[in-house]
Amino acid sequence: MTASTQDLYAGPGESPADRVYTAMGGDWDDIAREQAERADETLVINMGPQHPSTHGVLRLILECDGETVRSIRPGIGFLHTGIEKNMEYRTWAQGSTFVTRMDYVAPIFNEVAYCLAVERLLGIEDKIPQRATEIRVLMMELNRIASHLVCIGTGGMEIGALTVMTIGFREREVILDFFEAVTGLRMNHAYVRPGGVQNDLPENGLAQLAEVITWLEGHLGEYADFCNENPIFKRRMMGVGIQDLTACMALGVTGPVLRSTGYGWDLRKTQPYCGYETYDFDVPVWDSSDAYGRFRVRLQEMWESLKIVKQVAERLEASAGQPVMYTDPKIGSPADLAVGPDGQGNSNEHVKHIMGQSMEALIHHFKVVTEGFRVPAGQAYVPIESPKGEIACHVVSDGGTRPYRAHMRDPGFNHLQSVPIQCEGGMISDVVVAVGSLDPVMGGVDR
């Protein structure tokens, strides 16, 4: 490694560094001696990926004075999935298949936000079957628990609390098993569709849900036992990544990060959707504005989500047999799917109806599958409360069978721009904790 006075890496408009080190041979002793003579310990380094959800797609440029971070810049845009552009060339129904991949840890929320926006353009918000709305709430709250488990587990792993990760993924597997039984997939479900959900719960769905509830009730308490009063855990988390209410409001930061400042903003309460105003639950807050506060908020939110899940289970038991998809054949799902011993596919009743009983039904099925349904011209913006914060979908229609434009407002984008506020002036080791406390998933940022 050698030192050069020519900065080959400075971007347009950036001031060049006075020393640039490249892997071109040399000796570390010479570099150390030169630095000592200059009496300058400032070092610019590229950090990451240090978080499982930022694997190779988040670049943190740190300017350090010893172990102290003087400045930090997050560099995003290394994933480029092109999801939003691809949606312009697919039907409205196919959009769920794309948006679900943006946040592979909490895919149900992307699907719900998108479908609520499409339903608003269609003017059928009040016509969605009640059972479909109940299933949406069930899947979202279970997904909220699973997402928080990943955040808490990976965050614990990064600071050496490996047991928190192993038990976190243990509970998540129980939830994913239920998702697989309902949707046929563990993730990237495309289960929520405009007009409702793709299929009803399987025959033993409520029994399996009861087992999930029992398991979570017996094991969620372990996270508090492991972490809440653990002196090492608290020293690594408390006072780290501080971002107060003013900074959150200025940068559009929401979710657990905002609620850790003591402000109980939750769209399920402030701007209810999917009937959340009919459920009994609280909005947990903390007052420390740091990484530890975000952990405690997520910990309590899992219990509140479980409270909602138990209420939904009672309602689903009462609404058994009711439809789960809007019944207009020109808009409804192109296939009545069923989950059986042979996997997921068209139900026998649906195939029998379109192939042998109704020519009109077959025509509608063919048109919706091949062309898609038309959405009236206009635009809609619908925000909902995801595990990470406010996620929203903005869709624009020109009256055709495909979105003219679709854009997701992902909380991760806003949260990552707050990294400098949280980390500058702290230690390099605190950057790991601060970024992890934001619960980033880059698929939503680089879409």
Side-chain angles (χ1 to χ4, degrees), residues 191-205:
Y191 175 67
V192 181
R193 303 289 180 90
V197 295
Q198 194 58 57
N199 54 267
D200 203 346
L201 302 181
E203 292 183 2
N204 65 336

Side-chain angles (χ1 to χ4, degrees), residues 138-340:
L138 170 67
M139 301 296 279
M140 281 191 288
E141 293 310 313
L142 286 175
N143 202 180
R144 191 185 309 277
I145 297 174
S147 178
H148 282 344
L149 288 171
V150 172
C151 178
I152 291 173
T154 56
M157 173 197 67
E158 290 178 324
I159 61 175
L162 295 180
T163 304
V164 180
M165 183 199 69
T166 56
I167 64 175
F169 278 81
R170 177 190 65 191
E171 269 71 82
R172 179 172 178 262
E173 283 298 309
V174 174
I175 296 174
L176 294 188
D177 286 344
F178 179 77
F179 283 172
E180 186 175 10
V182 175
T183 72
L185 296 166
R186 289 164 51 86
M187 58 189 294
N188 299 339
H189 311 280
Y191 175 67
V192 181
R193 303 289 180 90
V197 295
Q198 194 58 57
N199 54 267
D200 203 346
L201 302 181
E203 292 183 2
N204 65 336
L206 288 178
Q208 187 171 351
L209 177 60
E211 294 176 0
V212 173
I213 293 173
T214 301
W215 179 272
L216 294 176
E217 285 182 325
H219 291 84
L220 286 184
E222 295 182 17
Y223 301 91
D225 295 338
F226 273 117
C227 303
N228 283 7
E229 299 303 327
N230 185 307
I232 300 176
F233 187 88
K234 292 175 70 173
R235 288 194 65 180
R236 288 301 310 274
M237 302 281 281
M238 296 181 72
V240 173
I242 293 178
Q243 182 170 346
D244 61 18
L245 177 58
T246 302
C248 288
M249 299 298 286
L251 296 176
V253 172
T254 54
V257 182
L258 175 62
R259 291 189 285 274
S260 70
T261 68
Y263 186 41
W265 178 267
D266 189 314
L267 292 176
R268 295 174 296 174
K269 288 284 190 181
T270 57
Q271 301 175 21
Y273 54 94
C274 291
Y276 269 109
E277 66 275 12
T278 65
Y279 294 93
D280 176 29
F281 68 100
D282 298 318
V283 178
V285 296
W286 205 253
D287 60 358
S288 59
S289 304
D290 59 5
Y292 183 74
R294 293 159 208 159
F295 162 76
R296 293 297 295 266
V297 167
R298 292 186 178 101
L299 205 62
Q300 188 58 38
E301 280 187 2
M302 291 194 294
W303 286 107
E304 295 302 319
S305 291
L306 187 58
K307 185 191 299 184
I308 297 174
V309 167
K310 290 191 286 186
Q311 296 174 58
V312 178
E314 296 177 358
R315 301 187 187 190
L316 289 175
E317 188 173 1
S319 64
Q322 295 182 12
V324 296
M325 178 58 69
Y326 182 54
T327 54
D328 187 337
K330 295 183 179 180
I331 296 178
S333 175
D336 182 9
L337 299 186
V339 178

Side-chain angles (χ1 to χ4, degrees), residues 383-425:
I384 67 172
E385 189 71 33
S386 83
K388 300 167 176 59
E390 178 180 324
I391 186 172
C393 182
H394 179 211
V395 290
V396 181
S397 173
D398 59 2
T401 59
R402 302 179 301 184
Y404 176 78
R405 185 74 174 92
H407 173 67
M408 299 296 292
R409 188 270 186 199
D410 183 84
F413 184 87
N414 297 70
H415 293 178
L416 285 172
Q417 70 174 342
S418 68
V419 168
I421 290 178
Q422 297 185 24
C423 298
E424 290 180 354

Side-chain angles (χ1 to χ4, degrees), residues 22-71:
T22 56
M24 300 292 290
D27 189 270
W28 275 111
D29 290 337
D30 296 334
I31 296 173
R33 190 179 306 109
E34 181 184 354
Q35 283 292 104
E37 292 174 356
R38 294 175 60 219
D40 179 11
E41 296 186 8
T42 301
L43 182 65
V44 178
I45 62 174
N46 288 300
M47 182 177 178
Q50 83 288 336
H51 187 278
S53 292
T54 63
H55 38 76
V57 292
L58 174 65
R59 175 189 178 206
L60 296 175
I61 304 99
L62 280 67
E63 183 176 324
C64 302
D65 183 0
E67 289 289 317
T68 302
V69 178
R70 295 305 182 194
S71 72

Side-chain angles (χ1 to χ4, degrees), residues 310-391:
K310 290 191 286 186
Q311 296 174 58
V312 178
E314 296 177 358
R315 301 187 187 190
L316 289 175
E317 188 173 1
S319 64
Q322 295 182 12
V324 296
M325 178 58 69
Y326 182 54
T327 54
D328 187 337
K330 295 183 179 180
I331 296 178
S333 175
D336 182 9
L337 299 186
V339 178
D342 58 345
Q344 183 172 322
N346 291 352
S347 68
N348 292 331
E349 292 77 11
H350 181 72
V351 175
K352 179 180 178 181
H353 181 60
I354 67 173
M355 297 302 295
Q357 297 177 346
S358 173
M359 175 61 72
E360 291 77 10
L362 178 59
I363 293 173
H364 287 314
H365 179 94
F366 178 79
K367 290 284 286 183
V368 172
V369 169
T370 58
E371 182 182 87
F373 54 82
R374 294 186 177 274
V375 174
Q379 59 181 323
Y381 178 87
V382 177
I384 67 172
E385 189 71 33
S386 83
K388 300 167 176 59
E390 178 180 324
I391 186 172

